[in-house]
Amino acid sequence: MAEYTASIFKAVKQYLPSESEARRGVSCKVSFRQNRSGYVQEIKVIKCSDGTTSNLLFQAIAKASPMPQPTRPEDFQEEVTITYAPQP
């Protein structure tokens, strides 16, 4: 399961600014729903300390759709939560 979540975060992260360009001290938690094919159907910002970063994360999730498929079908998650917190 952790491998599947990590592959989703990796897919999203490729559309986010690099760590050196990201705003330090910002933390965003976002959830999204996906269908069995990995296409994102709904994105919700749960909590974010910066509106710009929230928008970037929202856009990155949309661009990463469809999400990678799990290697084991039983690991599929219809709802996924991602926390993005660039490190200094």
Side-chain angles (χ1 to χ4, degrees):
M1 180 82 71
E3 179 183 316
Y4 175 52
T5 306
S7 70
I8 288 175
F9 187 74
K10 182 178 179 183
V12 171
K13 193 172 179 181
Q14 71 181 340
Y15 295 104
L16 289 168
S18 68
E19 294 285 323
S20 62
E21 297 170 348
R23 295 176 182 227
R24 305 284 187 238
V26 171
S27 177
C28 290
K29 189 173 188 177
V30 176
S31 72
F32 66 88
R33 297 177 67 79
Q34 64 177 334
N35 65 19
R36 278 276 182 198
S37 298
Y39 286 93
V40 174
Q41 299 175 317
E42 179 184 4
I43 305 170
K44 290 188 232 177
V45 176
I46 298 169
K47 184 179 181 181
C48 192
S49 58
D50 178 68
T52 300
T53 304
S54 171
N55 290 336
L56 289 171
L57 187 53
F58 190 98
Q59 292 171 9
I61 291 169
K63 287 178 183 177
S65 182
M67 295 298 171
Q69 293 293 303
T71 53
R72 299 177 341 155
E74 63 269 18
D75 286 346
F76 176 79
Q77 296 175 15
E78 184 177 347
E79 187 160 340
V80 177
T81 300
I82 291 176
T83 301
Y84 175 64
Q87 301 301 311

